[in-house]
Amino acid sequence: MKMLLAGQWVDRDTRIEVRDPFDGSLIDTVPAATGDDVETALAAAEAARETARKLSTHERSQILTRTAAIVHDSLEEYARTIAREGSKTITEARKEARRAVNTLTLAGEEAKRLQGETIPFDSFPGGERRRGYFERAPIGVVLAITPFNDPLNLVAHKLGPAIAGGNSVILKPATVTPLSALKLTEALLEAGLPPDVLQTLSGHGPVLGDVLVGDPRVRMISFTGGVETGRHIAHQAGLKKISMELGSNSPVIVWKDADLEAAISSCVSGAFWAAGQNCIGVQRIYVHRDVYEQLRDGFIERTRQYRIGDKLDEATDMGPMITEGEAERVERWIREAVELGATVLTGGNRTGALLEPTVLADVPETATIHHDEVFGPVVNLYPVDDLDEALAKANSLDFGLHAAAFTRDVDTAFRLADGLQCGGVMINDSTDYRLDSMPFGGIKSSGLGREGTRFSLQEMTEPKVVCWHLGD
Ligand code: NAP
């Protein structure tokens, strides 16, 4: 595929191979953007600010609604692209493609709900005879940087609101999964987006990133990715708005009165969805000691039923990790935990990029797999005795995206919802639940700001005040 730069689909001599992580087969190649391309993208994005701003609300809304329809009509094609370039099985990929349709539809609707307010300027002496209002104005050029694990929907979460808000956008998708983003770019143009309003640059983040991120023409960076990359970007950004959707290490508390079957089924899926490469994936489960053995045995049994392998096979439950190197990293973390005293209850073996879904117990707090984001198919079980202990342990790390609790008792549910330190608490669902319209984001090292169509749209626009002095 080609990349979109200054209104043209362009190619470059140096191309990046996009390979299927399951068997290493070549899917396609994309151009490797150069330093000159970065400059062209910045200049083109700046020049297109007025084009983007002057699109009427109904035009922005229609472009997004039409794009949603295009993705919907080619859902299987999008799902196959997601499944081939990334880690998701075809079933998981179909769900992501359907969600991207929702995200784009919501962005089209939200464009029409972007409103300001009148301002009572005469609230204090000296403001009399003034009338006015604020409206939401586009922020200008938005730089959107996206990760590999949701290669379509997370791109939709940035492009949708940015376009709804009347912004010009530069998109830098993950190098290993650029195809879904480029296909979405094609759909937006087919739906009527003026081609100069979006620059989609394929290429390596560490090569292109610093100049893009530091350039003053970029007024906002909307980044989703790892904490380390996020920290680096924040250092480089200078004086501009940043929104950061980063990693986590999500805790679930299963209380003694919980529906254990529901907890097991939801947490197994939440731990191993997309081979665990999921920012809200379940990583630590704190279980009341009275039901620990029952939950543990059920969890092991359900995990052992997982079929891993070819992502395009309808019967496959879990695919490979994104690269063999990533699978090796997680294998090393498991080995370190075992050396420190952890027990492998099931899984732990690796073939290439395929790592078995793995359940650990007795994991010490010093183990990397306890305190860092594993971003792989591993979940740790811990017995706990009371709610204070469960809350203290769940909150003990420097992450806070989602947390979850399973209980049938309303008081316990409220106490946990109140005490869990994070951006979202799921009661009787695992941490892996998200609605694309809800405010989504984290506290501590999990991020800054909130995504979710309506909330991103607020972040990607600024209040602009108009005040009329009516004279005396
Ligand atoms: P990553 O390595 O941080 O990469 C994310 C994006 O940043 C990629 O497009 C990458 O480009 C780019 N990048 C790398 N270095 C850069 C630099 N110096 N300047 C600018 N851009 C740069 O993350 P990942 O491995 O793709 O994704 C996994 C992480 O994302 C996990 O930590 C996960 O929790 C997090 N995540 C968070 C959310 C959320 O909503 N909170 C959602 C999904 C994922 P290249 O691909 O070219 O390196």
Side-chain angles (χ1 to χ4, degrees), residues 1 3 11-19 26-33 172-179 201-205 208:
M1 294 182 88
M3 62 183 181
D11 211 347
R12 290 291 170 257
D13 291 340
T14 308
R15 297 189 64 83
I16 297 167
E17 294 183 337
V18 184
R19 292 187 176 273
L26 184 67
I27 310 167
D28 204 340
T29 61
V30 295
K172 210 308 279 170
T175 300
V176 283
T177 57
L179 303 177
L201 284 179
S202 49
H204 299 283
L208 312 175

Side-chain angles (χ1 to χ4, degrees), residues 5 29 60 62 69 79 91 146 181 204 265 303-304 325 432 451 465:
L5 188 58
T29 61
R60 297 175 201 171
Q62 265 177 21
T91 313
T146 52
H204 299 283
S265 152
T303 302
R304 287 194 177 139
D432 184 25
E451 250 180 23
V465 172

Side-chain angles (χ1 to χ4, degrees), residues 146-149 172 175 205 224-226 229 245-247 279 373 375 440:
T146 52
F148 73 84
N149 61 320
K172 210 308 279 170
T175 300
T224 302
T229 317
E245 298 293 335
L246 308 176
C279 56
E373 177 185 35
F375 218 60
F440 179 76

Side-chain angles (χ1 to χ4, degrees), residues 143 145-150 154 172-177 203-210 212-213 223-230 232-233 236 244-248 277-280 322 326 373 375 401 434 440-442 446 451:
L143 170 62
I145 304 177
T146 52
F148 73 84
N149 61 320
D150 287 311
L154 289 181
K172 210 308 279 170
T175 300
V176 283
T177 57
H204 299 283
V207 177
L208 312 175
D210 285 359
L212 281 171
V213 163
F223 172 75
T224 302
V227 179
E228 283 318 310
T229 317
H232 178 81
I233 288 174
Q236 301 296 318
M244 295 264 160
E245 298 293 335
L246 308 176
S248 198
Q277 298 157 114
N278 176 5
C279 56
I280 46 177
I322 192 69
E326 271 297 279
E373 177 185 35
F375 218 60
L401 194 47
R434 175 183 183 183
F440 179 76
S446 289
E451 250 180 23

Side-chain angles (χ1 to χ4, degrees), residues 99-169:
R99 282 184 56 191
V101 172
N102 295 346
T103 303
L104 293 162
T105 306
L106 283 163
E109 291 168 357
E110 290 298 342
K112 295 185 182 175
R113 296 186 195 123
L114 191 60
Q115 291 171 350
E117 288 174 18
T118 54
I119 301 171
F121 285 104
D122 60 354
S123 309
F124 292 96
E128 295 85 355
R129 302 286 302 152
R130 286 176 178 81
R131 295 284 185 281
Y133 56 89
F134 73 84
E135 57 190 14
R136 306 271 339 164
I139 201 161
V141 176
V142 174
L143 170 62
I145 304 177
T146 52
F148 73 84
N149 61 320
D150 287 311
L152 182 67
N153 192 35
L154 289 181
V155 175
H157 263 292
K158 301 199 185 301
L159 299 190
I163 292 166
N167 295 293
S168 171
V169 195

Side-chain angles (χ1 to χ4, degrees), residues 83-408:
R84 283 215 68 202
E85 67 175 344
S87 282
K88 287 186 174 168
T89 64
I90 188 69
T91 313
E92 292 171 334
R94 284 188 192 117
K95 184 171 176 193
E96 181 179 340
R98 283 195 298 273
R99 282 184 56 191
V101 172
N102 295 346
T103 303
L104 293 162
T105 306
L106 283 163
E109 291 168 357
E110 290 298 342
K112 295 185 182 175
R113 296 186 195 123
L114 191 60
Q115 291 171 350
E117 288 174 18
T118 54
I119 301 171
F121 285 104
D122 60 354
S123 309
F124 292 96
E128 295 85 355
R129 302 286 302 152
R130 286 176 178 81
R131 295 284 185 281
Y133 56 89
F134 73 84
E135 57 190 14
R136 306 271 339 164
I139 201 161
V141 176
V142 174
L143 170 62
I145 304 177
T146 52
F148 73 84
N149 61 320
D150 287 311
L152 182 67
N153 192 35
L154 289 181
V155 175
H157 263 292
K158 301 199 185 301
L159 299 190
I163 292 166
N167 295 293
S168 171
V169 195
I170 302 175
L171 168 66
K172 210 308 279 170
T175 300
V176 283
T177 57
L179 303 177
S180 305
L182 288 164
K183 272 179 77 65
L184 182 59
T185 302
E186 284 176 354
L188 282 159
L189 265 51
E190 189 187 331
L193 183 74
D196 53 338
V197 163
L198 173 60
Q199 326 293 320
T200 301
L201 284 179
S202 49
H204 299 283
V207 177
L208 312 175
D210 285 359
V211 177
L212 281 171
V213 163
D215 195 280
R217 285 167 287 190
V218 170
R219 299 305 305 140
M220 177 183 178
I221 301 169
S222 174
F223 172 75
T224 302
V227 179
E228 283 318 310
T229 317
R231 279 208 182 95
H232 178 81
I233 288 174
H235 271 120
Q236 301 296 318
L239 205 59
K240 54 176 67 84
K241 198 166 179 182
I242 47 178
S243 143
M244 295 264 160
E245 298 293 335
L246 308 176
S248 198
N249 176 333
S250 301
V252 178
I253 295 171
V254 180
W255 218 236
K256 58 187 170 188
D257 54 20
D259 176 343
L260 288 189
E261 264 311 300
I264 290 167
S265 152
S266 179
C267 290
V268 168
S269 163
F272 305 131
W273 186 265
Q277 298 157 114
N278 176 5
C279 56
I280 46 177
V282 176
Q283 184 166 340
R284 292 172 290 142
I285 308 183
Y286 296 100
V287 190
H288 192 282
R289 200 175 293 278
D290 290 359
V291 294
Y292 178 79
E293 286 181 11
Q294 209 184 329
L295 180 124
R296 179 197 63 196
D297 295 348
F299 209 94
I300 296 170
E301 190 190 333
R302 189 67 60 92
T303 302
R304 287 194 177 139
Q305 290 163 4
Y306 254 56
R307 275 166 296 199
I308 61 172
D310 185 354
K311 293 168 291 170
L312 295 181
D313 184 336
E314 301 281 344
T316 301
D317 295 305
M318 196 187 92
M321 292 194 63
I322 192 69
T323 59
E324 187 166 350
E326 271 297 279
E328 282 170 353
R329 172 188 61 80
V330 178
E331 190 187 30
R332 266 199 311 280
W333 286 20
I334 295 171
R335 214 178 300 133
E336 181 213 50
V338 169
E339 278 161 16
L340 290 170
T343 311
V344 178
L345 297 176
T346 185
N349 300 307
R350 180 183 68 80
T351 314
L354 279 169
L355 180 66
E356 286 175 351
T358 302
V359 185
L360 303 180
D362 314 312
V363 181
E365 291 184 355
T366 49
T368 310
I369 215 156
H370 169 82
H371 56 75
D372 272 7
E373 177 185 35
V374 64
F375 218 60
V378 184
V379 62
N380 307 329
L381 306 184
Y382 313 79
V384 284
D385 292 298
D386 61 63
L387 280 180
D388 287 339
E389 181 193 1
L391 275 172
K393 288 188 167 162
N395 292 335
S396 63
L397 302 182
D398 186 33
F399 291 106
L401 194 47
H402 275 188
F406 286 84
T407 175
R408 288 189 174 104

